[in-house]
Amino acid sequence: MKRPTLEAVAARAGVSRATVSRVVNGSATVNPEIRAAVQRAVEELGYVPNSAARSLVTQRTGSIGLVVSEPPARVFSDDPFFSQVIRTVSHELEAADRQAVLMMPSSPAGQTRVERFVAGGHVDGVILLSLHGSDPLPAALMRTGVPVVSHGRPISTARPPYCDADNVGGARAAVEHLLDRGRRRIATISGPLDMSASLDRLAGYRDTLSGTGRRSLAAMGDFTRESGAAAMRQLLEDDPGLDAVFAASDLMAIGAVYTLRKAGRRVPDDVAVVGFDDIDAARFTDPPLTTVRQPIDDVAKTIVQMLLTGFDGHPAPVIFPTELVVRDST
């Protein structure tokens, strides 16, 4: 069967081709009775608008690019952060009759392809997720004139509007909690230092300790369980007498607990552990993990709304508060 055409819809509805085009493209200038007749014809014929032709008229594609600057293996790992953000963004866009286009550039060539795709007018806006260091992609995409927002604070010189959680405040609450529990030699496991979330959580840890005159002790991970286990081994070598650790993600905290148990240290009797994120697994560790809950869904919903409602100039960032969730690991 041939695909129904705009002309066929016009003939069925008894109107001109131009009138059908205005109805299909959402024009508010069409008489309600004529609009209803066109919509009936569309349903009866099963007409589907040609998206390419429609975008030429409306200057809109109905698609939003979600650019995740991580290798696919990292995005689809056991870290629930990425899946939760992608799920929430997709749900919000679907509710607004938009389509998410997922792109994961993990090389300079991949970044160039993303830039060409966006500059070619294939999306109406871009959401950036998991930016690293001096990534050139934000500046390149902003030069295309397509609206760009960032999930998380960018640390590159080109800073699109962004929404984030209060990473500094969350880390401060975690360390203050450990101090209140009588812990005196508190270490931290940071994330990669080319990411704003890692830098902000490390800053919150150091600022809180410096106010008490205590020295800081840090090892770096990459937000994975394995890196948390390795960092914990390093910390035990550097200071066998440490009695608490704040990990910048729950997965790293879970890895730290594994290493502590292998080393014969009891949690929390010998070493108290606090994570960050409040993933579902945090409730089922042994012991259940004290952690900082960040509003992942609220941040994801907000960046979608920032794109859909539009913005002028460079709006102030939206920062959501975090919440300390106390469980048995402290």
Side-chain angles (χ1 to χ4, degrees):
M1 294 178 64
K2 290 184 178 181
R3 178 175 176 170
T5 64
L6 206 65
E7 289 77 7
V9 174
R12 175 66 67 93
V15 299
S16 69
R17 184 184 188 281
T19 298
V20 174
S21 179
R22 289 202 302 274
V23 172
V24 168
N25 290 310
S27 172
T29 63
V30 182
N31 179 284
E33 293 182 1
I34 295 176
R35 180 188 302 278
V38 171
Q39 290 172 339
R40 282 197 302 272
V42 166
E43 293 176 3
E44 291 170 0
L45 294 175
Y47 173 74
V48 178
N50 183 301
S51 59
R54 185 175 183 178
S55 66
L56 288 174
V57 174
T58 65
Q59 298 298 302
R60 292 289 183 269
T61 66
S63 298
I64 299 293
L66 176 56
V67 180
V68 187
S69 296
E70 297 284 356
R74 175 89 172 89
V75 175
F76 298 110
S77 67
D78 60 353
D79 187 343
F81 172 80
F82 293 106
S83 61
Q84 187 170 348
V85 172
I86 292 170
R87 181 173 63 248
T88 301
V89 167
S90 298
H91 181 269
E92 292 298 301
L93 289 175
E94 182 179 358
D97 196 25
R98 304 292 198 280
Q99 175 64 46
V101 179
L102 180 62
M103 294 172 274
M104 293 176 284
S106 54
S107 68
Q111 291 184 330
T112 299
R113 282 193 297 272
V114 169
E115 182 182 353
R116 286 201 307 263
F117 186 83
V118 173
H122 299 291
V123 293
D124 300 326
V126 175
I127 294 169
L128 298 172
L129 174 62
S130 200
L131 291 173
H132 290 260
S134 56
D135 189 336
L137 195 56
L141 295 180
M142 291 171 72
R143 286 194 297 268
T144 67
V146 174
V148 178
V149 297
S150 174
H151 183 293
R153 179 176 67 85
I155 58 177
S156 59
T157 54
R159 291 193 174 185
Y162 69 92
C163 180
D164 205 350
D166 182 7
N167 292 299
V168 174
R172 185 179 295 118
V175 179
E176 288 174 348
H177 170 70
L178 291 170
L179 290 169
D180 290 344
R181 287 288 193 268
R183 306 295 168 153
R184 293 296 176 261
R185 298 166 76 171
I186 303 171
T188 188
I189 300 174
S190 78
L193 298 184
D194 63 348
M195 301 185 73
S196 63
S198 303
L199 293 173
D200 289 348
R201 294 170 195 179
L202 182 60
Y205 160 81
R206 284 177 169 163
D207 290 348
T208 308
L209 278 191
S210 66
T212 67
R214 292 180 173 80
R215 74 182 185 95
S216 60
L217 176 64
M220 188 177 74
D222 62 6
F223 290 133
T224 65
R225 195 187 333 256
E226 293 76 14
S227 73
M232 192 70 245
R233 287 193 293 271
Q234 177 185 329
L235 290 172
L236 289 174
E237 291 176 5
D238 293 342
D239 185 356
L242 64 84
D243 60 3
V245 61
F246 162 58
S249 79
D250 286 345
L251 286 180
M252 292 196 298
I254 292 170
V257 170
Y258 172 82
T259 291
L260 289 167
R261 182 171 287 117
K262 294 276 286 185
R265 308 293 178 92
R266 297 168 299 168
V267 178
D269 304 71
D270 302 320
V271 181
V273 179
V274 180
F276 203 110
D277 289 332
D278 194 27
I279 62 176
D280 286 342
R283 295 179 292 135
F284 301 104
T285 57
D286 183 19
L289 185 66
T290 293
T291 184
V292 177
R293 177 181 296 151
Q294 64 162 323
I296 297 175
D297 285 342
D298 289 337
V299 173
K301 290 177 182 178
T302 299
I303 56 175
V304 171
Q305 290 307 311
M306 289 171 71
L307 272 184
L308 296 183
T309 58
F311 48 84
D312 295 322
H314 204 288
V318 180
I319 307 298
F320 282 93
T322 53
E323 176 189 358
L324 181 70
V325 180
V326 179
R327 298 191 180 103
D328 294 345
S329 67
T330 56

